């Protein structure tokens, strides 16, 4: 096993462990501690589950199997490629729709609370993300392109070599509808949310406690929207560039494909960090978990033993 192979396996294993821990924790807190069925909460849970499954199904086979001949002879390669592509597009669809929903909450709050809180709306919106994502993942099985060993021969992915005539049109469609269009929706959502919030601030100065709370919530929305947009373009732009180069029949170096794949895997961590762990509301629930309280108390007791004067300072 080469040094590169060992380094790659360690890095992917770290992503897998961190993704599983963060997404499982987020799902548990949202389902069993927050216990709300708001559309935004359900979207966060659904996105966390999507990223959790994407990391498990996508990373474990890649860590275990790296030889091209083995990949070509086992269905694991194809199933992994199908699942990763399906969950990736599903995750991107979650991000774009989530951005659109948060924009509606900011710009048209009455419409959201009157219409979008119905149960069938919530189910339909979340299911549409999975239907959309796995529809694109299914197309290669019905003859529109195919799954093949990736250019760097590290995983199964789409037909980047364009060995099938239909692959060219498929890549163009994926670039437009699974990368550019979601990016446009996310940017427009950020633009209209920012414009609406600052226009309200300029038109009326909020002084009472309730309006100050609304200001804080709107700023939190802006922060999440901005970070989501920034992370989206950082993670998925490299793959868009590779897709464009492939369509132009420009040879893409194998190490560039590897970097793009690693960036895309980071989305399974970044999404849950942005939507959950930077939120103060979520952090309160996190700190109330029994395990976290046990670790905090244990750490505090150790510090007391090392520095007894700390106890006196705490009492003062």
């Amino acid at each position: 096993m080469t040094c590169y192979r060992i380094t790659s396996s360690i890095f992917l294993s770290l992503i897998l462990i961190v993704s599983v821990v963060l997404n499982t924790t987020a799902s548990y807190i949202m389902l069993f501690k927050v216990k709300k069925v708001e559309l935004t909460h359900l979207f966060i849970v659904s996105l966390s589950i999507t990223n959790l499954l994407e990391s498990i199904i996508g990373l474990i086979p890649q860590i275990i199997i790296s030889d091209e001949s083995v990949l070509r002879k086992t269905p694991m390669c194809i199933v992994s490629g199908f699942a990763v592509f399906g969950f990736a597009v599903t995750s991107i669809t979650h991000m774009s729709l989530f951005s659109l929903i948060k924009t509606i909450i900011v710009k048209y709050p009455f419409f959201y609370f009157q219409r979008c809180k119905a149960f069938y709306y919530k189910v339909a919106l979340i299911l549409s993300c999975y239907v959309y994502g796995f529809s694109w993942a299914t197309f290669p099985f019905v003859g529109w392109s195919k799954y093949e060993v990736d250019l760097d021969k590290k995983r199964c992915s789409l037909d980047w070599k364009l060995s099938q005539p239909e692959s060219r049109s498929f890549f163009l469609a994926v670039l437009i509808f699974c990368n550019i269009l979601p990016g446009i929706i996310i940017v427009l959502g950020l633009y209209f949310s920012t414009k609406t919030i600052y226009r309200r601030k300029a038109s009326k100065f909020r002084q009472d406690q309730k309006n100050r709370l609304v200001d804080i919530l709107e700023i939190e929305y802006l922060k999440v929207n901005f970070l989501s947009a920034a992370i989206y373009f950082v993670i998925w732009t490299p793959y868009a560039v590779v897709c464009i180069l492939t369509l132009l029949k420009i040879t893409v170096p194998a190490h560039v494909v590897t970097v793009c794949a690693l960036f895309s895997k980071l989305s399974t961590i970044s999404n849950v960090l942005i939507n959950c762990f930077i939120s103060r509301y979520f952090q309160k629930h996190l700190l109330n978990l029994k395990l976290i309280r046990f670790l905090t108390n244990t750490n505090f007791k150790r510090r007391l033993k090392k520095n007894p004067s700390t106890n006196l300072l705490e009492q003062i």
Side-chain angles (χ1 to χ4, degrees), residues 134-163:
F134 281 92
S135 294
W136 285 99
T138 305
F139 288 140
F141 286 132
V142 296
W144 196 13
S145 190
K146 65 176 182 177
Y147 288 104
E148 187 57 84
V149 176
D150 214 337
L151 294 176
D152 61 352
K153 301 177 182 179
K154 302 294 181 184
R155 71 200 67 80
C156 250
S157 184
L158 301 174
D159 182 23
W160 292 98
K161 296 178 182 179
L162 302 181
S163 58

Side-chain angles (χ1 to χ4, degrees), residues 40-299:
T40 52
H41 293 85
L42 294 177
F43 252 85
I44 290 174
V45 173
S46 181
L47 181 57
S48 296
I49 293 174
T50 299
N51 290 149
L52 176 64
L53 294 174
E54 180 185 352
S55 60
I56 292 174
I57 298 174
L59 292 176
I60 291 179
Q62 189 176 340
I63 294 170
I64 297 174
I65 302 174
S66 63
D67 185 68
E68 182 183 1
S69 60
V70 175
L71 287 174
R72 286 183 181 275
K73 292 179 181 179
T74 176
M76 183 185 293
C77 170
I78 304 299
V79 172
S80 176
F82 164 78
V84 170
F85 182 49
F87 282 125
V89 179
T90 300
S91 176
I92 291 173
T93 310
H94 271 86
M95 293 173 65
S96 57
L97 273 184
F98 197 24
S99 176
L100 183 62
I101 290 167
K102 287 183 286 188
T103 304
I104 293 174
I105 292 174
V106 172
K107 195 170 179 64
Y108 307 107
F110 293 107
F111 172 81
Y112 170 77
F113 285 107
Q114 289 175 359
R115 300 293 181 88
C116 298
K117 291 177 72 67
F119 180 74
Y120 61 88
Y121 268 106
K122 300 172 184 177
V123 174
L125 285 172
I126 292 175
L127 285 180
S128 66
C129 296
Y130 290 93
V131 171
Y132 188 80
F134 281 92
S135 294
W136 285 99
T138 305
F139 288 140
F141 286 132
V142 296
W144 196 13
S145 190
K146 65 176 182 177
Y147 288 104
E148 187 57 84
V149 176
D150 214 337
L151 294 176
D152 61 352
K153 301 177 182 179
K154 302 294 181 184
R155 71 200 67 80
C156 250
S157 184
L158 301 174
D159 182 23
W160 292 98
K161 296 178 182 179
L162 302 181
S163 58
Q164 231 175 258
E166 296 82 4
S167 295
R168 192 177 188 85
S169 61
F170 180 72
F171 270 85
L172 181 60
V174 169
L175 177 64
I176 295 173
F177 294 103
C178 302
N179 190 287
I180 296 176
L181 181 60
I184 292 173
I185 294 174
I186 291 172
V187 169
L188 289 177
L190 177 62
Y191 169 75
F192 285 115
S193 296
T194 305
K195 185 178 178 180
T196 301
I197 289 173
Y198 281 98
R199 186 178 60 201
R200 288 174 184 168
K201 280 189 171 184
S203 62
K204 184 179 180 181
F205 181 73
R206 296 169 175 169
Q207 294 181 343
D208 58 276
Q209 188 67 27
K210 183 178 179 180
N211 285 331
R212 280 199 296 268
L213 179 60
V214 172
D215 282 338
I216 294 173
L217 292 175
E218 288 179 344
I219 294 300
E220 286 292 322
Y221 270 122
L222 277 185
K223 180 174 68 174
V224 172
N225 282 356
F226 175 78
L227 289 175
S228 296
I231 291 297
Y232 175 83
F233 287 103
V234 168
I235 287 178
W236 295 109
T237 297
Y239 254 131
V241 173
V242 171
C243 189
I244 292 172
L245 294 176
T246 301
L247 290 171
L248 296 175
K249 296 183 178 180
I250 299 175
T251 304
V252 181
H255 66 273
V256 174
V257 177
T258 303
V259 172
C260 294
L262 292 177
F263 264 88
S264 67
K265 297 295 185 293
L266 291 174
S267 66
T268 61
I269 297 174
S270 62
N271 289 334
V272 69
L273 286 176
I274 293 172
N275 290 304
C276 293
F277 284 87
I278 67 170
S279 169
R280 294 179 182 177
Y281 177 72
F282 182 87
Q283 289 172 6
K284 290 180 180 179
H285 287 284
L286 178 65
L287 294 175
N288 283 328
L289 292 178
K290 291 183 179 179
L291 177 61
I292 301 298
R293 283 187 295 176
F294 172 76
L295 294 175
T296 304
N297 292 334
T298 302
N299 184 45

